[in-house]
Amino acid sequence: MLFPRERLLELEERLAPYAQKAKDTRGRAHPEPESPYRTPYQKDRDRILHTTAFRRLEYKTQVFPNWAGDYYRTRLTHTLEVVQVSRSIARALGLNEDLTEAIALSHDLGHPPFGHTGEQVLDRLMQGHGGFEHNAQALRILTHLEERYPGFRGLNLTHEVLEGIATHETRYAPGFKPLYEGQGTLEAQVVDLSDAIAYAAHDLDDGLRSGLLAPGELAEVPLLQDLAREEGLDLERLGELGRRILVRQLLGYLITEATLATHRRAEEAGVESAEAVRHHPKRLAALSPGAEKAHRELKAFLMERLYHHPEVLRERRKAETVLVELFRTYTQNPRLLPKGVQSRLEEEGVERAVCDYLAGMTDRYALEAYRKLFP
């Protein structure tokens, strides 16, 4: 039995009334024929997967730099975990999983090398030249920098996928205002929430695996104490299996609380369409009050004990030196840039062209470029 695009669109009628259905898409900037066997959001997802920017995520820092070991999360594995969490929540809520997945796959494409340190450094270097923010850079990649089609620049994605990136709320830049008005679709909100859930769980896992977090320290977080007690785990003597059980239970708890709380808020709001979700005064995707409090406590613990650990700060200092020196050298000596980047200098301006070049680098490529300039 074949399921052509028309049949797939009919099946979406079974989704929740507040889901964003593909038949209701606001379309693409450049009209083009649709696929016979894929919905518009499936087509977007596939385009994102094949981008150069997506492949580069494999060698971009999450918390630990790529050279720290093979077992720690990278920006790519973080993205895949966000996909898993967001699809789990979306399915339970009757949302559009294809749209949810497309947004999740693309939400971190704009991240530069060296994680949030790289973002902060580039933003500082670009003051007076438009600044730098990874959501805006993701949109720039998808609408301008990726060149794969003869008739237009970018990937020509649907409005809803681009909207999902533009309304993403970043926890690391609290002053940043979303690039679109409104709350975004519930699918986009679920991705945003899933991002926070995923990194809290996997950063805890990586912190324990690395030895930067001692198991005994976890007793300071009430939620971890409760989960350990339920599973009969001794936090003072938490082995490898115990760590995996604890992280799995944490992830399960947060996903369940997010699903139930979001469903409850949507019901109470009485939203009957994706447009009603966009114009609701508040975001509907959220944790329950108790889970939100527990999540904040866990994030505060990770901020103090992991993200500000001396070893992590030392690597951040190295990253800052690399990016600052590369930016200074390339802006002062543009002829050192690859020919493809040089060709964009007049159109983009030296600073923006250099910023795009640095933001697209992986950790190891940036380090190699630094070594070549400063042996």
Side-chain angles (χ1 to χ4, degrees), residues 99-234:
L99 174 59
T100 304
E101 184 176 14
I103 297 171
L105 286 170
S106 57
H107 85 283
D108 266 357
L109 290 182
H111 261 293
F114 311 123
H116 292 284
T117 299
E119 181 174 15
Q120 292 159 7
V121 171
L122 286 182
D123 184 47
R124 187 172 74 244
L125 293 170
M126 288 296 290
Q127 290 304 304
H129 305 286
F132 180 87
E133 199 280 327
H134 80 269
N135 295 314
Q137 188 69 12
L139 285 175
R140 183 168 169 78
I141 289 168
L142 295 172
T143 61
H144 185 69
L145 296 178
E146 285 276 346
E147 295 186 62
R148 293 176 172 270
Y149 304 94
F152 48 81
R153 299 186 72 167
L155 302 186
N156 198 31
L157 302 180
T158 57
H159 172 91
E160 291 75 31
V161 173
L162 297 177
E163 176 191 33
I165 300 167
T167 55
H168 182 63
E169 290 184 351
T170 172
R171 272 78 175 169
Y172 287 87
F176 171 73
K177 295 182 179 179
L179 303 172
Y180 279 20
E181 294 295 328
Q183 306 292 354
T185 61
L186 196 51
E187 286 83 356
Q189 294 181 36
V190 163
V191 172
D192 198 8
L193 181 57
S194 299
D195 186 23
I197 290 172
Y199 79 67
H202 64 51
D203 287 359
L204 174 67
D205 192 22
D206 283 353
L208 289 168
R209 179 186 285 272
S210 69
L212 299 188
L213 292 178
E217 295 179 283
L218 305 188
E220 299 175 22
V221 184
L223 173 60
L224 299 182
Q225 271 191 321
D226 293 341
L227 293 175
R229 188 180 304 111
E230 290 175 8
E231 295 299 316
L233 301 174
D234 183 353

Side-chain angles (χ1 to χ4, degrees), residues 23-94:
K23 70 177 180 62
D24 297 324
T25 178
R26 298 183 187 181
R28 307 175 189 275
H30 305 278
E32 58 178 278
E34 286 295 347
S35 169
Y37 297 106
R38 292 177 296 169
T39 69
Y41 301 145
Q42 288 176 312
K43 192 173 182 177
D44 285 357
R45 175 201 60 202
D46 298 344
R47 288 185 171 186
I48 293 162
L49 277 172
H50 290 284
T51 60
T52 303
F54 185 79
R55 291 194 297 276
R56 286 174 177 162
L57 294 178
E58 181 178 2
Y59 296 105
K60 290 190 176 187
T61 294
Q62 177 63 25
V63 172
F64 295 91
N66 180 259
W67 60 85
D70 294 338
Y71 295 103
Y72 304 120
R73 269 71 171 190
T74 64
R75 190 61 59 178
L76 176 62
T77 57
H78 161 72
T79 295
L80 296 177
E81 291 185 35
V82 173
V83 170
Q84 179 268 309
V85 174
S86 57
R87 285 198 64 147
S88 296
I89 297 173
R91 177 170 292 188
L93 293 173

Side-chain angles (χ1 to χ4, degrees), residues 275-297:
E275 202 62 28
V277 173
R278 285 185 176 93
H279 294 98
H280 194 266
K282 295 181 180 180
R283 287 204 158 199
L284 298 176
L287 292 166
S288 64
E292 176 60 33
K293 178 176 180 295
H295 188 242
R296 284 199 308 269
E297 292 170 345

Side-chain angles (χ1 to χ4, degrees), residues 309-320:
H309 191 283
E311 289 194 28
V312 174
L313 294 178
R314 184 165 58 247
E315 295 301 325
R316 288 181 179 176
R317 179 60 183 145
K318 293 179 186 177
E320 182 176 1

